[in-house]
Amino acid sequence: MEIVDRLRELSSPKTLQSMIRIGINPDQALGVTLPLMRKLAKEVGRNHELALQLWNSGYHEARILATMVDNPREVTEQQLESWSGEFDSWDVCDLTCRNLIEKTPFAIEKAMEWSSRQEEFVKRAGFVLMARISVSHKKLPDSEFAPFFEQIIKHSEDDRNFVRKAMHWALRQIGKRNLPLNKKAVECAGELQRLGTKNSVWVANQALRELLSEPVQARLQIREEKKLQKETKQPLS
């Protein structure tokens, strides 16, 4: 495939070694940096059929490139199920969620469904989607995040590294959305601490360190004041 040949031309042994050092599965990896892949994706443009071909090639970077060029409006649920079952590295998992899945109509559904699955990277993808939805779905009402808190508590015993890191990532991102959700995220962390397992306490403490930090609290307070000003059209005190 011509695009795979382009990726080979952009690869370097130094980049491949760097990928291995940060825990990326080197199987079928070429060694291409993300900036180079993003540049190539811009040249290629949106192309659903090409994305399917790139993913099916099996090459690590080709799969990441597939997530960059695919058209979210043409993605099917069957495709997402097939792709998620082939996640074998945290970066492919995370970038597929960020570049593609969060932009599809299936994002919330898959966040809930996958966070209950047993496969490590599929389960991670569920919690990564929660984190990404918290950032990108600006108009989503706060009530939509309640099931996310429930999933984090329900699955907090899963101490697999890639899962638990995604769990506290999700809790932190939800809690940085606004003051009311920050309060609920802190309450969720408190519930995790009361569960008393080594992993639930770890997830809670990792999240609370940021959620209760002075910079985050100050930023959320300013955001709340701006919101109130907009609603009441009154100057800030």
Side-chain angles (χ1 to χ4, degrees):
M1 190 188 302
E2 181 181 346
I3 299 297
V4 174
D5 291 338
R6 289 282 305 280
L7 287 170
R8 287 196 182 97
E9 292 171 3
L10 296 170
S11 67
S12 76
K14 183 178 179 181
T15 299
L16 183 58
Q17 287 304 311
S18 297
M19 292 165 62
I20 294 171
R21 281 196 296 272
I22 60 173
I24 293 174
N25 189 339
D27 294 346
Q28 295 294 309
L30 300 171
V32 184
T33 65
L34 276 174
L36 287 175
M37 281 188 274
R38 291 191 185 103
K39 184 178 179 181
L40 182 56
K42 286 183 179 180
E43 293 176 15
V44 172
R46 294 289 183 185
N47 190 321
H48 178 64
E49 291 304 319
L50 177 61
L52 297 178
Q53 293 174 34
L54 286 168
W55 186 275
N56 289 335
S57 74
Y59 287 103
H60 184 89
E61 287 85 351
R63 287 187 164 182
I64 292 175
L65 185 62
T67 72
M68 296 176 177
V69 303
D70 206 348
N71 187 339
R73 289 175 293 183
E74 296 184 65
V75 170
T76 66
E77 186 174 6
Q78 182 180 7
Q79 175 189 339
L80 295 184
E81 285 298 324
S82 175
W83 284 21
S84 66
E86 295 178 353
F87 290 160
D88 63 353
S89 283
W90 64 265
D91 63 329
V92 172
C93 169
D94 295 6
L95 288 168
T96 304
C97 292
R98 177 174 182 169
N99 296 336
L100 187 63
I101 304 175
E102 70 172 66
K103 300 180 177 78
T104 72
F106 311 108
I108 294 176
E109 175 187 345
K110 292 305 169 187
M112 292 298 296
E113 181 182 332
W114 288 350
S115 59
S116 293
R117 291 270 286 275
Q118 181 57 31
E119 307 97 305
E120 185 172 10
F121 286 113
V122 178
K123 192 163 192 171
R124 176 182 173 87
F127 291 109
V128 170
L129 279 172
M130 293 181 193
R132 289 304 311 164
I133 289 166
S134 301
V135 173
S136 61
H137 290 216
K138 304 293 186 184
K139 296 182 179 180
L140 199 64
D142 288 0
S143 59
E144 292 288 337
F145 292 92
F148 292 177
F149 292 131
E150 294 171 5
Q151 284 294 89
I152 291 169
I153 293 171
K154 181 178 179 180
H155 296 280
S156 62
E157 80 286 349
D158 194 326
D159 62 357
R160 288 177 293 179
N161 193 47
F162 291 117
V163 174
R164 68 177 190 160
K165 284 188 173 181
M167 236 181 260
H168 81 72
W169 180 14
L171 187 54
R172 287 187 293 111
Q173 291 303 123
I174 297 170
K176 291 190 293 182
R177 192 173 167 94
N178 56 46
L179 276 177
L181 281 176
N182 181 268
K183 181 180 178 181
K184 290 185 180 298
V186 170
E187 290 173 354
C188 178
E191 180 64 27
L192 291 172
Q193 289 177 323
R194 285 188 289 276
L195 287 176
T197 68
K198 182 178 179 181
N199 197 63
S200 66
V201 171
W202 183 88
V203 170
N205 291 345
Q206 290 293 316
L208 287 172
R209 187 175 292 115
E210 184 172 14
L211 293 175
L212 296 177
S213 69
E214 188 174 324
V216 167
Q217 289 296 315
R219 191 160 56 245
L220 292 178
Q221 186 62 48
I222 291 172
R223 193 176 299 168
E224 188 70 14
E225 289 174 356
K226 287 182 177 179
K227 179 184 175 183
L228 289 173
Q229 180 191 33
K230 184 177 180 180
E231 290 174 350
T232 61
K233 295 184 179 181
Q234 296 294 322
L236 294 176
S237 58

